[in-house]
Amino acid sequence: MNLPNKLTIIRILLIPFFMFELLFDKLPYGDIAAIIIFSVASFTDFLDGKIARSTNCVTDFGKFADPLADKLLVMSAFICFVQLGITNAAVVMIILTRELAVTSLRLVASSKKIVIAANLWGKVKTVSQMLAVLFVLAVQAIKDMIDTNNVYILDYISQILIYVSVVLTIVSGVIYIYQNRNIIKEM
């Protein structure tokens, strides 16, 4: 197994640790630990793609597992946010629906030996989701350290970033389906 694929697996293995740190509020500095774990996991996404392309280590496993790892990481954060009361389930359902639709399309295409690469909009969507998650995590850590009445504006910014990522999720999904409409017609 090459290094990019190992990084992808590390990203997936970090998810339970991230969720544990985020959800168990009795842990000292759990929010900060969650930020660090999510940041490291997000960085492995950047790193594995860069290494795979620069060393020509692109594999079929990586083409499938890398975007799946991204989806699992982001979805775990948004699901935790619902449990923590930070966002609502509709946000998660919109993101989950898009991700399952795109992953399903990729699976069907790959069974016909057709590779559907991620497009720019999908990458922008992923970055917006990861930035929204990191901002929300930072706000939660700040709230644990200072008087929460003074940071309400940060909650509004968090919500704006979440909804921007939702809009980009919808836009990227529509573009993805439109760009691959011929494959869908063949199914």
Side-chain angles (χ1 to χ4, degrees):
M1 180 170 289
N2 64 31
L3 180 59
N5 290 342
K6 288 177 184 176
L7 289 171
T8 297
I9 290 172
I10 288 169
R11 184 160 64 257
I12 294 169
L13 293 175
L14 286 173
I15 293 170
F17 297 100
F18 162 71
M19 293 178 74
F20 181 79
E21 291 293 341
L22 185 59
L23 292 176
F24 292 98
D25 58 354
K26 304 265 189 259
L27 297 173
Y29 307 107
D31 290 331
I32 293 172
I35 292 170
I36 292 168
I37 294 168
F38 190 88
S39 297
V40 168
S42 297
F43 185 68
T44 66
D45 178 37
F46 165 77
L47 200 56
D48 68 9
K50 188 171 182 74
I51 292 170
R53 286 185 296 277
S54 68
T55 61
N56 200 23
C57 290
V58 177
T59 65
D60 288 337
F61 173 81
K63 288 177 192 175
F64 178 74
D66 178 59
L68 180 63
D70 299 341
K71 291 167 185 18
L72 291 172
L73 178 63
V74 168
M75 289 309 305
S76 70
F78 279 107
I79 289 168
C80 289
F81 291 169
V82 170
Q83 182 169 339
L84 295 170
I86 295 167
T87 194
N88 61 55
V91 166
V92 174
M93 283 309 301
I94 290 168
I95 295 171
L96 185 60
T97 299
R98 185 266 186 212
E99 302 303 359
L100 289 175
V102 167
T103 300
S104 298
L105 179 59
R106 279 192 175 146
L107 279 173
V108 171
S110 71
S111 71
K112 298 178 184 235
K113 306 293 184 212
I114 300 169
V115 176
I116 301 176
N119 63 26
L120 176 64
W121 283 99
K123 292 176 183 183
V124 168
K125 177 260 320 170
T126 300
V127 169
S128 75
Q129 290 173 342
M130 288 182 174
L131 289 176
V133 168
L134 284 169
F135 190 85
V136 169
L137 293 173
V139 169
Q140 296 309 304
I142 290 168
K143 285 175 152 182
D144 286 348
M145 291 186 266
I146 64 171
D147 180 15
T148 58
N149 293 330
N150 295 328
V151 294
Y152 67 91
I153 189 71
L154 296 177
D155 285 329
Y156 290 120
I157 295 170
S158 294
Q159 292 305 308
I160 290 168
L161 291 174
I162 287 171
Y163 285 105
V164 165
S165 74
V166 169
V167 168
L168 289 171
T169 297
I170 293 167
V171 168
S172 70
V174 169
I175 290 170
Y176 194 86
I177 289 169
Y178 179 77
Q179 287 178 338
N180 296 290
R181 64 192 177 280
N182 293 334
I183 296 169
I184 294 169
K185 285 178 187 176
E186 291 177 17
M187 289 191 239

